Amino acid sequence: MMASEILEKYIEFFKKQNHVQIVNSSLVPENDPTTLFTSSGMQPLIPYLLGEAHPQGKRLVNVQNCFRAGDIDEVGDNRHITFFRMLGNWSLGDYFKKEQILWFWEFLTSKEKGLGLSKDKLYVSVFEGFKNIPKDTESYEIWSDLLKKDELNPEERIFYYGVDKNWWSRTGVSDNMPVGEPGGLDTEVFYDFGPSANSGQEHHDKKKFGDKCHPNCDCGRYLEIGNSVFMQFKKTETGFEELPQKNVDFGGGLERLIAATENKQDIFQTSLFSPVIKRIAEVTKKEYEEHKEEIQIIADHFTAAVFMVSSNLFPSNKEQGYILRRLIRRGLDNFYTLGGINIDPILEQIVEQYRDTDEYLVEKFEHIKAVVLEEEQAYKKALAGGKKLIEKELITRGLLQGDELMGVVKIPAEVAFKSLASYGLGPTQLESLGYTFDRKELSELIKKHQDVSRKGAEKKFTGGLADHSEKTVMGHTATHLLHKTLRDMFGNDLHQTGSNITSERVRFDYNFDRKLTDEEIKRLEDTVNEKIKENLPVHFEIMNLVKAKDIGAIGLFDEKYSDNVKVYFVGGEKGSPTSDKSSSGRPLTDKPYSVEFCGGPHVDFTGEIKRFKIIKEEALGRSLRRIYAVVGD
Ligand code: GLY
């Protein structure tokens, strides 16, 4: 079944159960300093899972573009990919276990309303209990009744697993959850490809995966195709407390569902990926069967890169840009290893595969290609620079005469590390340049360096999404003032392309083709500070998207759906956003200063922000700029 057909069926199925479709949020999360990428559909919904009312109601459904950096090194095993689309449905304190299990089963097995998967191919896992959270016998019973109706034996089909397999939160198992994080036990469904699907060889290697094959043994016979999380707990200092509401958070990987409907144990052989795989094989003149790992890496990494670039990212040495750089360079390494020269046709084929569901990729193709090719040039330069650095180091250390720069040379691990730190060249690249070195010594040096950087990163990521600290809230409102002021100064073509707010600073990205002058920066700061001084009231209203646009609301939003949105007003009064009258006695302006789509949170009055100061303004890429600012005392 094609991707677009599955997507349509899923959304229709849950709309019939009174769910409202919500937008696909940006791959780069807005205002969430805890993570670099959106990696599941629930991520943008955290405040609502914790109890805040969602403007579109209690039953939601969507398809979310996701990226999981943690899986980069797993790609190559037929089933791991880094970029994927997650089907998601949520109950925010509405229905719970019974409805979710029944509906998902119907979606999977009904020919007419869903995917029509053969029931005897499906297996189920449930939570076996942990500490004071009991075994999930309720889900077991619901599954058991369902299976019996279909004349399947529950004892052969339902498996209990512990917290390492049947517990879900954004941060993993319960012990990894920071205080305040929502999570819960889950029930998963697995598709059975049979003991030797596609390959004709037994998957289960007893030495690697244990004596007995079972849904969670990881040998590849079974593929998890959907996870219903019963999100009812919040982590506390001492354990867990119940959330104010019992939620359902369902996530199912579209690519895996395609694999199941097409009975393809290798995701890269499904209708979504196989044309890309064929193209890579054609361009490199290599057989897929003989170079599966390299070809899967090329297909996966460039697919992720295409979506990242289309989300306004550029390769760099920092944060998301660094991951994008790593993907492109690792993809190129594998492409060159197979003898590939020109990556264009591969990018073209990837975009072609998503044309039905993500038309905008076609429109952005020239930009995507230009960014990847620019990075390829930068990479080639880095390789040349790394080589030069190594040669210089070797000559300085008396290890090499100027006329001996040929053939395979053994270099000290320290020198290899220097080329890694300065030019980003890893072991594979060094080897391709003809160097050998002590891998163990190099990995120890890398580890030492990572420990130091990890400490920095941990510090940085401890904010938590529930970072509603005073400074962060002030920062959110400050970005609205900044956005509006920039548009007033430079016209309405200017708009925000991203933001990231922590208690330390505000980061704001926007489209503009030049550096701001000192005088402009001063004017910008002065205007925002004036609005802070005016102590404007801030309030939000929930309204239909059409109305929101009518009243001129700005901000990042998806044009596709005409549902309710949350709109924040800075200045003006509730209920009369464009009114000239003021009745509260507060120093209101006649009209709101800023009207913007946003999830919040915000200050009640702009005076709480106290001060706004720009500390840096820099280029982010072609026609993209970034401002760093601080707020507060
Ligand atoms: N949010 C559920 C999942 O990602 O599996």
Side-chain angles (χ1 to χ4, degrees):
M1 205 179 277
M2 301 299 281
S4 51
E5 207 181 327
I6 296 182
L7 293 179
E8 244 165 65
K9 282 197 151 187
Y10 177 74
I11 299 292
E12 273 321 297
F13 184 96
F14 280 93
K15 275 190 174 168
K16 284 215 172 86
Q17 310 300 346
N18 298 321
H19 287 62
V20 175
Q21 183 174 3
I22 54 170
V23 296
N24 165 30
S25 297
S26 167
L27 199 51
V28 181
E30 277 303 300
N31 299 333
D32 180 356
T34 61
T35 177
L36 294 177
F37 293 98
T38 301
S39 59
S40 65
M42 60 79 84
Q43 224 167 283
L45 295 174
I46 298 268
Y48 311 105
L49 291 161
L50 289 170
E52 198 178 304
H54 192 283
Q56 274 147 260
K58 293 180 174 201
R59 294 185 180 199
L60 308 173
V61 62
N62 90 342
V63 182
Q64 176 63 48
N65 287 353
C66 298
F67 177 78
R68 291 193 176 168
D71 283 341
I72 291 181
D73 294 325
E74 306 290 331
V75 179
D77 68 351
N78 290 347
R79 62 184 191 282
H80 275 94
I81 46 181
T82 57
F83 172 82
F84 62 101
R85 285 171 292 174
M86 187 181 278
L87 308 185
N89 65 272
W90 294 271
S91 156
L92 300 172
D94 190 7
Y95 60 86
F96 205 44
K97 293 183 180 174
K98 186 147 191 196
E99 293 86 341
Q100 174 59 26
I101 291 174
L102 260 54
W103 285 336
F104 185 47
W105 183 252
E106 191 181 1
F107 173 70
L108 288 178
T109 58
S110 161
K111 274 208 177 74
E112 190 196 317
K113 297 183 196 161
L115 307 185
L117 293 177
S118 165
K119 289 174 185 170
D120 63 1
K121 289 279 202 178
L122 302 177
Y123 288 76
V124 168
S125 71
V126 289
F127 182 61
E128 79 176 1
F130 180 64
K131 293 188 180 159
N132 59 344
I133 299 176
K135 198 168 175 165
D136 187 11
T137 51
E138 189 185 343
S139 293
Y140 187 98
E141 289 308 321
I142 300 168
W143 279 120
S144 175
D145 288 349
L146 255 183
L147 295 174
K148 276 189 213 150
K149 260 192 225 142
D150 288 320
E151 289 173 8
L152 295 168
N153 181 356
E155 279 168 35
E156 287 170 5
R157 299 265 153 188
I158 312 175
F159 290 70
Y160 274 110
Y161 290 99
V163 74
D164 54 330
K165 297 288 185 193
N166 279 72
W167 180 274
W168 202 89
S169 81
R170 256 184 334 165
T171 48
V173 296
S174 56
D175 284 348
N176 289 351
M177 291 165 63
V179 170
E181 184 74 17
L185 50 97
D186 64 44
T187 175
E188 302 183 347
V189 176
F190 294 80
Y191 183 85
D192 177 13
F193 289 103
S196 58
N198 306 144
S199 64
Q201 280 169 8
E202 179 83 25
H203 301 304
H204 194 85
D205 172 344
K206 288 189 177 163
K207 266 201 220 118
K208 241 163 117 184
F209 303 110
D211 272 352
K212 239 178 131 202
C213 186
H214 58 96
N216 253 321
C217 78
D218 285 341
C219 77
R221 169 175 173 171
Y222 298 92
L223 185 71
E224 184 229 306
I225 53 172
N227 180 15
S228 301
V229 186
F230 301 118
M231 203 158 261
Q232 71 185 99
F233 300 107
K234 180 158 105 175
K235 188 78 180 273
T236 63
E237 295 286 353
T238 51
F240 287 98
E241 66 182 30
E242 292 265 346
L243 286 168
Q245 63 194 32
K246 286 184 174 158
N247 306 295
V248 174
D249 161 34
F250 170 80
L254 171 66
E255 294 71 8
R256 289 179 169 211
L257 287 164
I258 301 176
T261 60
E262 296 178 358
N263 198 29
K264 288 275 189 334
Q265 189 259 345
D266 176 354
I267 282 188
F268 292 91
Q269 296 281 35
T270 61
S271 55
L272 181 65
F273 280 107
S274 67
V276 176
I277 297 298
K278 275 203 194 105
R279 199 94 173 101
I280 299 171
E282 214 174 85
V283 165
T284 58
K285 301 190 180 66
K286 294 286 184 303
E287 294 290 329
Y288 176 60
E289 285 305 321
E290 285 163 25
H291 296 278
K292 273 190 176 178
E293 189 174 337
E294 294 97 326
I295 294 183
Q296 290 180 13
I297 291 174
I298 298 167
D300 170 80
H301 287 14
F302 282 107
T303 302
V306 161
F307 277 91
M308 283 189 191
V309 175
S310 83
S311 306
N312 292 329
L313 287 180
F314 288 87
S316 74
N317 288 334
K318 273 204 297 204
E319 301 177 342
Q320 289 96 342
Y322 172 70
I323 305 283
L324 172 56
R325 167 157 287 170
R326 208 171 133 203
L327 287 170
I328 296 178
R329 292 186 176 193
R330 191 159 180 254
L332 286 172
D333 283 342
N334 283 276
F335 188 62
Y336 298 151
T337 303
L338 296 187
I341 297 168
N342 177 12
I343 199 74
D344 272 17
I346 315 300
L347 300 177
E348 243 164 57
Q349 191 64 52
I350 291 171
V351 170
E352 186 58 33
Q353 287 314 105
Y354 289 88
R355 175 189 276 276
D356 282 353
T357 49
D358 299 78
E359 221 177 300
Y360 60 91
L361 293 179
V362 179
E363 288 157 28
K364 290 188 171 182
F365 183 64
E366 286 309 316
H367 168 72
I368 293 169
K369 200 166 81 177
V371 171
V372 173
L373 295 187
E374 208 171 279
E375 178 58 13
E376 186 178 22
Q377 292 315 313
Y379 186 35
K380 284 183 175 160
K381 261 198 200 146
L383 286 171
K387 196 169 165 56
K388 228 176 173 175
L389 177 140
I390 292 170
E391 284 168 358
K392 218 170 117 203
E393 285 283 333
L394 294 181
I395 291 169
T396 313
R397 288 161 196 246
L399 295 170
L400 197 67
Q401 304 301 319
D403 54 1
E404 280 179 4
L405 305 175
M406 307 281 284
V408 177
V409 182
K410 177 149 171 99
I411 59 173
E414 243 176 83
V415 173
F417 181 72
K418 265 196 174 172
S419 82
L420 176 72
S422 312
Y423 289 96
L425 304 189
T428 322
Q429 286 103 35
L430 289 174
E431 278 165 2
S432 77
L433 288 174
Y435 297 115
T436 63
F437 45 88
D438 186 328
R439 270 186 173 255
K440 204 168 151 244
E441 228 180 289
L442 177 64
S443 70
E444 271 159 22
L445 285 172
I446 295 174
K447 195 174 166 301
K448 216 163 106 192
H449 173 77
Q450 279 171 341
D451 285 346
V452 175
S453 349
R454 191 171 302 124
K455 286 213 178 80
E458 272 163 14
K459 213 171 129 225
K460 182 164 166 219
F461 287 99
T462 45
L465 181 65
D467 182 7
H468 288 189
S469 72
E470 218 185 331
K471 277 271 180 81
T472 315
V473 175
M474 280 150 60
H476 281 292
T477 315
T479 61
H480 285 215
L481 295 176
L482 174 63
H483 192 184
K484 170 73 167 116
T485 310
L486 275 166
R487 283 166 69 94
D488 283 353
M489 282 172 66
F490 300 110
N492 287 345
D493 283 344
L494 185 154
H495 56 85
Q496 174 181 350
T497 56
S499 76
N500 178 286
I501 297 161
T502 68
S503 47
E504 272 93 44
R505 52 105 183 106
V506 169
R507 201 179 79 192
F508 181 89
D509 301 339
Y510 61 106
N511 63 323
F512 198 52
D513 55 10
R514 65 168 173 82
K515 192 173 163 50
L516 298 184
T517 64
D518 290 349
E519 194 267 322
E520 283 165 344
I521 290 184
K522 170 132 192 351
R523 189 142 55 93
L524 191 54
E525 269 178 357
D526 286 351
T527 312
V528 172
N529 281 312
E530 239 167 64
K531 296 295 156 195
I532 292 173
K533 256 211 195 114
E534 284 174 22
N535 200 21
L536 303 172
V538 181
H539 76 275
F540 71 84
E541 289 176 34
I542 289 170
M543 62 181 75
N544 184 280
L545 184 65
V546 177
K547 179 170 178 216
K549 283 193 194 163
D550 259 10
I551 64 162
I554 56 171
L556 292 169
F557 61 96
D558 200 303
E559 302 269 353
K560 272 185 243 160
Y561 316 110
S562 55
D563 284 311
N564 284 345
V565 290
K566 199 170 178 184
V567 176
Y568 269 91
F569 295 79
V570 182
E573 287 187 293
K574 201 162 195 141
S576 56
T578 44
S579 146
D580 287 342
K581 289 190 196 120
S582 143
S583 59
S584 71
R586 281 248 158 214
L588 304 183
T589 50
D590 296 336
K591 282 189 199 165
Y593 181 63
S594 139
V595 183
E596 182 161 344
F597 297 91
C598 180
H602 286 279
V603 298
D604 294 327
F605 291 93
T606 56
E608 291 163 42
I609 305 170
K610 295 186 184 109
R611 177 193 67 129
F612 174 80
K613 172 126 197 72
I614 293 176
I615 49 174
K616 196 167 159 194
E617 195 269 349
E618 64 183 17
L620 197 60
R622 218 174 293 117
S623 296
L624 278 181
R625 311 284 310 176
R626 174 168 281 180
I627 283 176
Y628 286 93
V630 288
V631 292
D633 294 326

